[in-house]
Amino acid sequence: MKRHQQWIISGLLAAVCSSAAWAQTPPPPPPAEPGHPHHPAGQMDMEKWHEKARERMAKRQAELHDQLKITAAQEGVWKTFIQSMEPKMPPKPRDPHEMDKLNAVERMEKNLDGMREHQAQMQTRLTAMKNLYAALNPEQQKIFDEQHKRIKKEMQDRMAKQMMRRDPPAPDRP
């Protein structure tokens, strides 16, 4: 009988411990880094944040210009390319009260209009990139391709890092 009681007690203890582990909630994600517009301690306005982004972009563009060794003959298409890449301020958020007055079809049309505007901007950038790429010699194209891959990878890594801050992985469970 004593053995049976020990078995029940150890089983109950294991059940309580495992249910306590399952009931634990993951810690909240850490806040955005200081200086980020969503950091709660010192919210920087979006204009300042975009200005810093423009500065970083200008620095990278200058580095790429030097790496590509852009010639005087290529300078015109380079400038057109750089102008097409100029970050645009995001449109002001729509007034939720105004959006509430619209029916579902009208709201969908507003969203589609925004997507069309974004697509038009991307098409302008693609055209400028094609013109620049056509003006580059094969060695410059190789450098451009490598840099574009590197920047894409950095962006993906940065986005993954931000996603991990917002939604950390669940703890390992037995």
Side-chain angles (χ1 to χ4, degrees), residues 68-159:
L68 291 174
K69 299 176 183 144
I70 297 293
T71 65
Q74 297 168 326
E75 201 63 44
V77 291
W78 171 260
K79 286 182 180 175
T80 302
F81 170 71
I82 294 304
Q83 288 170 351
S84 75
M85 294 295 163
E86 181 68 27
K88 309 279 189 263
M89 280 294 288
K92 297 221 186 260
R94 294 184 181 111
D95 181 9
H97 300 295
E98 292 298 318
M99 291 298 283
D100 286 344
K101 294 176 186 175
L102 302 176
N103 65 38
V105 172
E106 292 167 334
R107 282 193 301 272
M108 178 72 90
E109 286 175 342
K110 289 265 188 200
N111 289 333
L112 191 55
D113 289 343
M115 292 173 74
R116 285 186 186 119
E117 184 178 317
H118 184 251
Q119 184 179 9
Q121 290 173 357
M122 292 297 290
Q123 186 61 52
T124 301
R125 290 176 176 172
L126 176 61
T127 301
M129 183 184 281
K130 283 181 176 181
N131 291 338
L132 172 65
Y133 200 81
L136 299 176
N137 65 40
E139 182 61 33
Q140 289 172 313
Q141 288 176 351
K142 182 178 175 187
I143 293 168
F144 188 87
D145 289 339
E146 289 169 1
Q147 291 301 313
H148 193 263
K149 282 181 191 174
R150 181 185 61 82
I151 290 169
K152 181 181 176 188
K153 171 101 172 78
E154 287 175 5
M155 286 177 64
Q156 288 173 334
D157 291 347
R158 192 168 44 250
M159 289 174 70

Side-chain angles (χ1 to χ4, degrees), residues 20-36:
W22 279 92
Q24 287 181 342
T25 57
E33 296 173 0
H36 189 277

Side-chain angles (χ1 to χ4, degrees), residues 19-69:
S19 66
W22 279 92
Q24 287 181 342
T25 57
E33 296 173 0
H36 189 277
H38 299 297
H39 188 269
Q43 294 222 343
M44 177 181 7
D45 65 63
M46 289 302 284
E47 184 58 42
K48 282 185 180 179
W49 191 80
H50 281 281
E51 185 57 38
K52 283 189 169 195
R54 281 188 204 100
E55 289 171 7
R56 285 190 304 269
M57 189 172 190
K59 181 182 174 192
R60 285 188 176 195
Q61 289 169 345
E63 290 170 359
L64 182 59
H65 184 277
D66 293 345
Q67 289 173 346
L68 291 174
K69 299 176 183 144

